[in-house]
mmCIF file with all atom_site columns, all heavy atoms in Angstrom:
data_model
loop_
_atom_site.group_PDB
_atom_site.id
_atom_site.type_symbol
_atom_site.label_atom_id
_atom_site.label_alt_id
_atom_site.label_comp_id
_atom_site.label_asym_id
_atom_site.label_entity_id
_atom_site.label_seq_id
_atom_site.pdbx_PDB_ins_code
_atom_site.Cartn_x
_atom_site.Cartn_y
_atom_site.Cartn_z
_atom_site.occupancy
_atom_site.B_iso_or_equiv
_atom_site.pdbx_formal_charge
_atom_site.auth_seq_id
_atom_site.auth_comp_id
_atom_site.auth_asym_id
_atom_site.auth_atom_id
_atom_site.pdbx_PDB_model_num
ATOM 1  N N   . ARG A 1 61 ? -13.541 3.891  9.035  1.00 84.00 ? 802 ARG A N   1
ATOM 2  C CA  . ARG A 1 61 ? -12.518 3.909  7.986  1.00 84.00 ? 802 ARG A CA  1
ATOM 3  C C   . ARG A 1 61 ? -11.176 3.381  8.506  1.00 84.00 ? 802 ARG A C   1
ATOM 4  O O   . ARG A 1 61 ? -10.487 2.605  7.831  1.00 84.00 ? 802 ARG A O   1
ATOM 5  C CB  . ARG A 1 61 ? -12.328 5.330  7.454  1.00 84.00 ? 802 ARG A CB  1
ATOM 6  C CG  . ARG A 1 61 ? -11.416 5.408  6.215  1.00 84.00 ? 802 ARG A CG  1
ATOM 7  C CD  . ARG A 1 61 ? -10.883 6.807  5.991  1.00 84.00 ? 802 ARG A CD  1
ATOM 8  N NE  . ARG A 1 61 ? -9.957  7.181  7.053  1.00 84.00 ? 802 ARG A NE  1
ATOM 9  C CZ  . ARG A 1 61 ? -8.686  6.790  7.093  1.00 84.00 ? 802 ARG A CZ  1
ATOM 10 N NH1 . ARG A 1 61 ? -8.185  5.998  6.147  1.00 84.00 ? 802 ARG A NH1 1
ATOM 11 N NH2 . ARG A 1 61 ? -7.912  7.178  8.074  1.00 84.00 ? 802 ARG A NH2 1
ATOM 12 N N   . ARG A 1 62 ? -10.808 3.761  9.737  1.00 77.00 ? 803 ARG A N   1
ATOM 13 C CA  . ARG A 1 62 ? -9.539  3.299  10.301 1.00 77.00 ? 803 ARG A CA  1
ATOM 14 C C   . ARG A 1 62 ? -9.536  1.786  10.507 1.00 77.00 ? 803 ARG A C   1
ATOM 15 O O   . ARG A 1 62 ? -8.533  1.113  10.258 1.00 77.00 ? 803 ARG A O   1
ATOM 16 C CB  . ARG A 1 62 ? -9.256  4.010  11.625 1.00 77.00 ? 803 ARG A CB  1
ATOM 17 C CG  . ARG A 1 62 ? -8.810  5.463  11.476 1.00 77.00 ? 803 ARG A CG  1
ATOM 18 C CD  . ARG A 1 62 ? -8.137  5.956  12.732 1.00 77.00 ? 803 ARG A CD  1
ATOM 19 N NE  . ARG A 1 62 ? -9.029  5.852  13.888 1.00 77.00 ? 803 ARG A NE  1
ATOM 20 C CZ  . ARG A 1 62 ? -9.840  6.805  14.295 1.00 77.00 ? 803 ARG A CZ  1
ATOM 21 N NH1 . ARG A 1 62 ? -9.882  7.956  13.638 1.00 77.00 ? 803 ARG A NH1 1
ATOM 22 N NH2 . ARG A 1 62 ? -10.602 6.646  15.352 1.00 77.00 ? 803 ARG A NH2 1
ATOM 23 N N   . ILE A 1 63 ? -10.676 1.252  10.985 1.00 78.00 ? 804 ILE A N   1
ATOM 24 C CA  . ILE A 1 63 ? -10.756 -0.195 11.199 1.00 78.00 ? 804 ILE A CA  1
ATOM 25 C C   . ILE A 1 63 ? -10.665 -0.926 9.864  1.00 78.00 ? 804 ILE A C   1
ATOM 26 O O   . ILE A 1 63 ? -9.957  -1.940 9.730  1.00 78.00 ? 804 ILE A O   1
ATOM 27 C CB  . ILE A 1 63 ? -12.058 -0.555 11.945 1.00 78.00 ? 804 ILE A CB  1
ATOM 28 C CG1 . ILE A 1 63 ? -11.997 -0.028 13.379 1.00 78.00 ? 804 ILE A CG1 1
ATOM 29 C CG2 . ILE A 1 63 ? -12.278 -2.067 11.951 1.00 78.00 ? 804 ILE A CG2 1
ATOM 30 C CD1 . ILE A 1 63 ? -13.284 -0.184 14.149 1.00 78.00 ? 804 ILE A CD1 1
ATOM 31 N N   . VAL A 1 64 ? -11.373 -0.426 8.856  1.00 81.00 ? 805 VAL A N   1
ATOM 32 C CA  . VAL A 1 64 ? -11.317 -1.044 7.527  1.00 81.00 ? 805 VAL A CA  1
ATOM 33 C C   . VAL A 1 64 ? -9.894  -0.962 6.976  1.00 81.00 ? 805 VAL A C   1
ATOM 34 O O   . VAL A 1 64 ? -9.377  -1.920 6.387  1.00 81.00 ? 805 VAL A O   1
ATOM 35 C CB  . VAL A 1 64 ? -12.314 -0.357 6.573  1.00 81.00 ? 805 VAL A CB  1
ATOM 36 C CG1 . VAL A 1 64 ? -12.107 -0.835 5.133  1.00 81.00 ? 805 VAL A CG1 1
ATOM 37 C CG2 . VAL A 1 64 ? -13.751 -0.637 7.012  1.00 81.00 ? 805 VAL A CG2 1
ATOM 38 N N   . GLU A 1 65 ? -9.224  0.169  7.193  1.00 79.00 ? 806 GLU A N   1
ATOM 39 C CA  . GLU A 1 65 ? -7.856  0.330  6.715  1.00 79.00 ? 806 GLU A CA  1
ATOM 40 C C   . GLU A 1 65 ? -6.912  -0.645 7.408  1.00 79.00 ? 806 GLU A C   1
ATOM 41 O O   . GLU A 1 65 ? -6.012  -1.206 6.782  1.00 79.00 ? 806 GLU A O   1
ATOM 42 C CB  . GLU A 1 65 ? -7.387  1.763  6.940  1.00 79.00 ? 806 GLU A CB  1
ATOM 43 C CG  . GLU A 1 65 ? -6.059  2.094  6.273  1.00 79.00 ? 806 GLU A CG  1
ATOM 44 C CD  . GLU A 1 65 ? -5.759  3.582  6.303  1.00 79.00 ? 806 GLU A CD  1
ATOM 45 O OE1 . GLU A 1 65 ? -5.866  4.173  7.392  1.00 79.00 ? 806 GLU A OE1 1
ATOM 46 O OE2 . GLU A 1 65 ? -5.444  4.151  5.246  1.00 79.00 ? 806 GLU A OE2 1
ATOM 47 N N   . ASN A 1 66 ? -7.122  -0.865 8.718  1.00 72.00 ? 807 ASN A N   1
ATOM 48 C CA  . ASN A 1 66 ? -6.307  -1.846 9.440  1.00 72.00 ? 807 ASN A CA  1
ATOM 49 C C   . ASN A 1 66 ? -6.486  -3.244 8.853  1.00 72.00 ? 807 ASN A C   1
ATOM 50 O O   . ASN A 1 66 ? -5.535  -4.012 8.727  1.00 72.00 ? 807 ASN A O   1
ATOM 51 C CB  . ASN A 1 66 ? -6.680  -1.856 10.924 1.00 72.00 ? 807 ASN A CB  1
ATOM 52 C CG  . ASN A 1 66 ? -6.210  -0.616 11.652 1.00 72.00 ? 807 ASN A CG  1
ATOM 53 O OD1 . ASN A 1 66 ? -5.283  0.053  11.212 1.00 72.00 ? 807 ASN A OD1 1
ATOM 54 N ND2 . ASN A 1 66 ? -6.850  -0.294 12.756 1.00 72.00 ? 807 ASN A ND2 1
#
Side-chain angles (χ1 to χ4, degrees):
R802 188 199 68 80
R803 285 198 301 269
I804 292 173
V805 171
E806 189 169 50
N807 288 337

